[in-house]
Amino acid sequence: MGRFLRRLVSKKKRRFVDRADGFDLDLAYITDSLIAMGFPSTRSPDRFYRNDMREVQRFLDSRHPDAYKVYNLCSERDYDHACFHNRVSVFPFDDHNPPPFHLIPLLCADVSDWLSGTSASPPFTAGPLPSSLSSPPSSSSAAPSPSSQPPPRVAAIHCKAGKGRTGLMICCYLLHSGVCPTADAALRFYGDRRTLDGNGVTLLSQRRYVGYYERFLRETAAGAAPERWLGNGGTGSVRARVVGLWVKGCPEAWLKRASPYFVIRTRDGVVWFRSAAELATPSPPADRAQSAESTAPAAPRHPTVLAWQWNAPSSNADTAADSTDDDAAAAAAGGDACLHVPRHSHLGLP
């Protein structure tokens, strides 16, 4: 039953199966040194349909003894790092979201140091960006003699499902290490090796961040200061002003009986913006969700374009974004949803 449930949850993801050793894990080798896997669960019922922590431990300890390090990308769950001999680093961000941009080069540097053997794997602590962070690992260092060469190291990266957040970070490392020359190539490479249908990183926001990291590497290699992307001291603190939100093609639920609105909150829960439609509603969102069926006016019966324009609080308005003519034309014609923000800025929104 457990094997059936795990395969059902895995859907189109590739699994590592070795019947001789009894392995059937939601896990795939992206390269010889990069592993993508689902969350190693320690509690019921999760371990019956996700990776069982005991099986992940057995796999890593038998296949890569003393030569692996685990990277947890989950903001919503963790485990005792002693399960993996304290060789664990945590780069947390929320499910179905891209990370704060500064976490990407930090993780890439950590993985690079671990795989190259220059790191003894200290616990990760977020801080200022090291001066050499944007440089890919050097391949000019002399290899040790065969007699003293340690076993090749591997990095096992996971989120909850081991697909979206994991894929975003692995694709960025493929760019960082020079395995793939472009974001599109990295996304295809990862998709082919992690899934059966090639659909690895599917969320548009996460795919965009792979492209942002390609630009970051290109610009820093050309001499641009990392602070252009990473903010004050490399901590990802970049002030920004949102000037527009376009929604093109309403979700099916909106085409029935609904009155759509937007509320944007910062990561600490502070309301950052309320759309005019929400402000005009007398009941709070929680109450509104319960009574929408009886009170909402009939929505248009066809896809439409909804647009709100607003300014952020003055404390966040150091920079501004200008929508291009192409963006405006695309919005009017209908297409992908687009949030116009200053380039090279991360809002830190959920």
Side-chain angles (χ1 to χ4, degrees), residues 138-153:
S138 172
S139 59
S140 60
S141 57
S145 61
S147 60
S148 61
Q149 186 170 357
R153 291 184 171 190

Side-chain angles (χ1 to χ4, degrees), residues 27-295:
L27 179 153
Y29 283 87
I30 308 305
T31 68
D32 290 343
S33 58
L34 285 177
I35 295 173
M37 65 181 187
F39 189 88
S41 300
T42 59
R43 60 189 179 186
S44 300
D46 287 10
R47 64 187 182 91
F48 292 112
Y49 59 87
R50 299 194 186 278
N51 285 338
D52 189 320
M53 170 64 83
R54 296 168 296 183
E55 288 299 291
V56 177
Q57 288 174 298
R58 186 168 72 90
F59 170 82
L60 292 173
D61 286 335
S62 62
R63 298 298 176 104
H64 305 284
D66 299 320
Y68 68 85
K69 183 175 179 181
V70 178
Y71 293 82
N72 180 10
L73 307 181
C74 291
S75 62
E76 69 276 16
R77 56 180 67 187
D78 202 355
Y79 42 77
D80 185 355
H81 294 182
C83 293
F84 297 122
H85 312 288
N86 292 313
R87 292 194 298 268
V88 177
S89 283
V90 181
F91 293 80
F93 60 103
D94 295 344
D95 199 6
H96 304 119
N97 283 267
F101 188 82
H102 73 289
L103 286 187
I104 301 177
L106 284 173
L107 178 137
C108 289
D110 195 295
V111 172
S112 177
D113 288 346
W114 169 252
L115 295 182
S116 65
T118 60
S119 168
S121 183
F124 169 74
T125 303
L129 182 70
S131 58
S132 61
L133 196 59
S134 61
S135 301
S138 172
S139 59
S140 60
S141 57
S145 61
S147 60
S148 61
Q149 186 170 357
R153 291 184 171 190
V154 298
I157 303 175
H158 73 81
C159 49
K160 184 171 70 174
K163 184 170 174 284
R165 286 176 286 183
T166 297
L168 188 163
M169 288 301 203
I170 287 180
C171 287
C172 288
Y173 183 76
L174 294 174
L175 292 169
H176 184 90
S177 58
V179 173
C180 294
T182 66
D184 286 343
L187 289 164
R188 288 195 303 270
F189 187 95
Y190 172 79
D192 289 343
R193 284 157 177 75
R194 183 61 176 118
T195 68
L196 299 172
D197 57 5
N199 293 322
V201 183
T202 56
L203 293 180
L204 294 179
S205 60
Q206 293 179 342
R207 294 176 66 90
R208 278 196 296 269
Y209 268 63
V210 180
Y212 294 160
Y213 194 65
E214 178 192 351
R215 289 170 55 189
F216 166 79
L217 292 175
R218 186 169 62 247
E219 291 186 11
T220 52
E227 287 73 18
R228 171 178 171 85
W229 289 81
L230 300 169
N232 301 327
T235 60
S237 175
V238 178
R239 292 181 176 180
R241 181 176 58 160
V242 177
V243 298
L245 174 66
W246 295 93
V247 179
K248 299 174 294 176
C250 289
E252 183 178 352
W254 289 9
L255 303 182
K256 297 179 181 178
R257 292 181 61 84
S259 180
Y261 61 86
F262 285 90
V263 179
I264 301 179
R265 294 178 174 86
T266 60
R267 288 188 182 274
D268 55 6
V270 177
V271 173
W272 202 68
F273 167 74
R274 293 182 187 272
S275 68
E278 200 278 333
L279 290 173
T281 303
S283 58
D287 296 336
R288 181 180 183 80
Q290 299 172 1
S291 59
E293 187 66 26
S294 59
T295 62

